[in-house]
Amino acid sequence: DAGITQSPRYKITETGRQVTLMCHQTWSHSYMFWYRQDLGHGLRLIYYSAAADITDKGEVPDGYVVSRSKTENFPLTLESATRSQTSVYFCASRATAMNTEAFFGQGTRLTVV
Amino acid sequence: ILNVEQSPQSLHVQEGDSTNFTCSFPSSNFHALHWYRWETAKSPEALFVMTLNGDEKKKGRISATLNTKEGYSYLYIKGSQPEDSATYLCAPGRDNYKLSFGAGTTVTVRA
């Protein structure tokens, strides 16, 4: 499928478990982003990436790890999930051309119990 | 972190009325400003990407202006309709890479 897709769409996990959220885009966009939806904060940036093997911390990176071995994939791993990480997570990508818009995946709703 | 403020946090509009709200950001090292519309249970979608001082963009009944010297952008909705109900996010950037959003303005249009 063309575009940007996230998997799974829904995930329930237990406190302390490791969980990985997947993001895949078919446009070969260089830039990719992970956000979490937080009440009163809108979308908060967790990590972002300029290209394969280049990643940077956003505003709320603690407890998360990312990798980018291939341009099209940008997985987000919660190393030891906590209840405070219950949220909806959005992945986005955009081209490097000046002032291009970002495109968002459909989101992953993660519940940590 | 580029400080961005969106105001008001929320507003209620009667159907047919027009409204506007603000995105404020530091004017130094400005590169571009993004506006996104985020409907409940959906993903954010881009409205505008603006770069030039004095820039105005329009999409249907929604328009935006940009003042980079004083560090603000206005988003206008003319003749609000129920389908305009959404959270509107802005993201001012100091470079072409990082995209970090404000907390948003949630618009509710009452029929």
Side-chain angles (χ1 to χ4, degrees):
Chain A
D1 291 336
I4 181 166
T5 54
Q6 294 182 231
S7 61
R9 291 293 310 278
Y10 304 92
K11 177 74 177 177
I12 300 174
T13 192
E14 295 178 339
T15 301
R17 294 220 181 227
Q18 183 181 81
V19 60
T20 296
L21 311 184
M22 304 301 294
C23 180
H24 175 78
Q25 50 101 357
T26 60
W27 296 301
S28 298
H29 285 169
S30 290
Y31 297 160
M32 295 189 75
F33 309 85
W34 272 108
Y35 299 91
R36 55 177 286 167
Q37 175 180 349
D38 290 322
L39 196 64
H41 294 276
L43 285 176
R44 290 204 285 182
L45 182 63
I46 306 171
Y47 269 95
Y48 55 117
S49 171
D53 298 322
I54 300 175
T55 61
D56 289 281
K57 293 181 179 180
E59 293 134 22
V60 289
D62 293 343
Y64 302 95
V65 174
V66 293
S67 61
R68 189 132 180 243
S69 57
K70 292 184 178 181
T71 299
E72 60 266 30
N73 297 323
F74 191 36
L76 176 75
T77 297
L78 286 68
E79 296 183 294
S80 178
T82 64
R83 290 202 176 102
S84 64
Q85 293 177 308
T86 292
S87 187
V88 180
Y89 291 82
F90 287 97
C91 177
S93 73
R94 56 185 286 248
T96 55
M98 293 286 281
N99 311 318
T100 53
E101 65 194 77
F103 295 89
F104 284 80
Q106 68 273 55
T108 294
R109 181 175 293 275
L110 176 68
T111 303
V112 183
V113 298
Chain B
I1 295 176
L2 186 67
N3 293 322
V4 51
E5 291 188 11
Q6 292 191 246
S7 63
Q9 186 175 25
S10 64
L11 59 92
H12 292 79
V13 187
Q14 199 66 34
E15 183 177 358
D17 287 351
S18 296
T19 189
N20 65 85
F21 39 94
T22 311
C23 174
S24 301
F25 51 88
S27 56
S28 60
N29 298 323
F30 173 83
H31 180 82
L33 182 96
H34 293 232
W35 278 106
Y36 289 76
R37 177 174 140 152
W38 188 15
E39 294 180 65
T40 302
K42 293 187 177 180
S43 303
E45 291 184 344
L47 286 171
F48 310 113
V49 180
M50 308 173 77
T51 57
L52 301 175
N53 185 47
D55 207 2
E56 291 189 30
K57 299 235 177 189
K58 186 175 181 181
K59 184 180 284 189
R61 292 177 291 97
I62 300 176
S63 61
T65 61
L66 178 64
N67 184 321
T68 61
K69 293 182 179 180
E70 296 183 37
Y72 65 83
S73 176
Y74 290 133
L75 195 95
Y76 300 88
I77 304 175
K78 183 179 178 181
S80 303
Q81 299 298 309
E83 58 264 31
D84 296 327
S85 296
T87 296
Y88 293 82
L89 301 169
C90 72
R94 286 189 172 141
D95 55 46
N96 191 43
Y97 174 25
K98 185 178 181 181
L99 196 63
S100 191
F101 290 91
T105 293
T106 299
V107 175
T108 304
V109 182
R110 293 182 283 218

